[in-house]
Amino acid sequence: MKKLLAVAAVGFLLVLLAACGSGSDEESGGDGDQSKLAKLKESGTVTVGFANEEPYAYQDGGELKGAAVDIAQAAFKEMGIENVKGKLADFSQLIPGLNAGKFDVITAGMAINPDRCKNADFAEPSMMYGEGLIVPKGNPMDLHSYEDIAEKGATVSIMQGATEIEYVQKMGVKESQVQTASDIPATFSAVASGRADATTGTEMTVKMALESSGNDKLEFVSDFKQPEIEGIPSYGAAAFHKDADELRKAYNEALAKLKKDGTVKELLEKNGFSAENNSVPEDITAEGVCSGEQY
């Protein structure tokens, strides 16, 4: 009798464990995010993380705008997901927020790089861009490159989490010369107040941010020398959770259609980019950049 009870107990335990396992697979979608993709299609809404960086992704009068946003909206619409809900975060908190489940995707024109690829899976790149430099009016330290910043001992304010922190250090700028700030306006404030000698970011970001700020104490360095280092030019793309393979693949399929029919180029131009200079070459892929082969 005791043996029969023991066998019955073991059997019940196995059934219970199997049931629990089945429920877990169903909840996660089995192969990662099949159910997540279905859920987003059913709800018709996707939540995106952005960092308020014009012209990539920013808020204007409560409306989410920017090249990265417009491209993402078009891709999700192609997938049958009409509504894009934005959640603002500091740039450095976008990937942590993605992994914490605060948003479904990042649409911030974030540059793909091998380090970021360890913590998020990038869609295929949708834009290409270089770097820009902002200095006090009249450029008193005569800064025209990252090498100039290094050689002249200038201090540079850079947005937290931005790739430019790595770039300037690769060009010889010491860690002690680098200040970090929460966003682009904060870096401008540092330069305008004299707490920093310069700020740098992606070319279109700093150029357009300066134009819209109306700050007459600063100027854009028009003859800035692009650094010849890995990661430049940069390739911006949407980023997904590492368990969201099905969602990312569906997004890539939609994006490929939009590239082929010219929609992506139109959206880049609409946001102040050049369809010729900022479009991604056909041979550049997220996998190639992540692996370091195209970085």
Side-chain angles (χ1 to χ4, degrees):
M1 187 66 177
K2 288 181 180 179
K3 288 181 179 180
L4 288 174
L5 286 172
V7 170
V10 170
F12 176 76
L13 181 60
L14 290 173
V15 171
L16 182 63
L17 288 172
C20 290
S22 175
S24 175
D25 283 343
E26 187 177 2
E27 203 170 22
S28 67
D31 74 281
D33 77 323
Q34 183 103 20
S35 62
K36 183 176 183 63
L37 176 58
K39 184 178 178 180
L40 291 178
K41 285 186 175 182
E42 184 178 353
S43 70
T45 299
V46 59
T47 301
V48 303
F50 71 104
N52 222 23
E53 186 180 359
E54 188 178 358
Y56 302 91
Y58 62 101
Q59 218 164 22
D60 183 16
E63 185 180 353
L64 194 56
K65 295 182 177 182
V69 171
D70 287 349
I71 292 169
Q73 283 180 326
F76 282 115
K77 186 175 182 179
E78 181 75 26
M79 294 162 61
I81 303 170
E82 295 281 344
N83 302 315
V84 172
K85 177 182 176 183
K87 277 193 176 182
L88 178 65
D90 286 346
F91 190 85
S92 62
Q93 293 304 306
L94 286 174
I95 289 180
L98 176 69
N99 290 328
K102 292 182 179 179
F103 9 86
D104 304 307
V105 59
I106 295 169
T107 56
M110 179 178 282
I112 307 171
N113 69 41
D115 284 339
R116 287 176 179 161
C117 294
K118 295 174 185 176
N119 298 302
D121 280 346
F122 284 87
E124 294 303 333
S126 54
M127 62 182 71
M128 178 177 72
Y129 46 81
E131 303 302 305
L133 189 68
I134 301 290
V135 296
K137 196 76 172 179
N139 198 357
M141 293 193 71
D142 199 27
L143 303 175
H144 300 274
S145 66
Y146 290 160
E147 293 101 322
D148 287 346
I149 294 175
E151 292 171 6
K152 298 181 180 183
T155 55
V156 57
S157 179
I158 303 175
M159 185 171 63
Q160 290 174 349
T163 51
E164 285 75 20
I165 296 174
E166 176 187 353
Y167 294 163
V168 298
Q169 291 179 345
K170 281 186 176 180
M171 299 305 293
V173 177
K174 297 177 182 177
E175 188 175 346
S176 60
Q177 292 175 252
V178 178
Q179 301 174 6
T180 58
S182 59
D183 53 27
I184 296 297
T187 67
F188 282 9
S189 177
V191 180
S193 66
R195 289 180 283 115
D197 300 307
T199 181
T200 183
T202 57
E203 181 179 3
M204 289 297 295
T205 296
V206 295
K207 186 176 183 179
M208 293 188 71
L210 182 59
E211 290 174 358
S212 62
S213 73
N215 192 325
D216 60 2
K217 294 182 179 181
L218 306 175
E219 70 176 55
F220 176 78
V221 179
S222 59
D223 60 349
F224 174 73
K225 179 184 176 183
Q226 293 291 331
E228 296 180 3
I229 54 177
E230 288 183 337
I232 297 177
S234 297
Y235 302 101
F240 294 82
H241 192 282
K242 284 217 168 261
D243 291 336
D245 283 350
E246 200 68 25
L247 179 60
R248 178 177 52 81
K249 289 175 182 177
Y251 182 92
N252 277 339
E253 289 177 5
L255 180 63
K257 291 181 182 179
L258 299 176
K259 285 182 176 181
K260 188 174 182 179
D261 67 15
T263 299
V264 169
K265 287 186 176 181
E266 289 177 8
L267 294 176
L268 286 172
E269 287 192 328
K270 172 191 168 185
N271 287 279
F273 290 88
S274 164
E276 181 180 351
N277 298 330
N278 297 115
S279 291
V280 180
E282 291 184 5
D283 62 332
I284 300 296
T285 65
E287 183 180 357
V289 181
C290 283
S291 69
E293 292 180 7
Q294 297 175 326
Y295 182 65

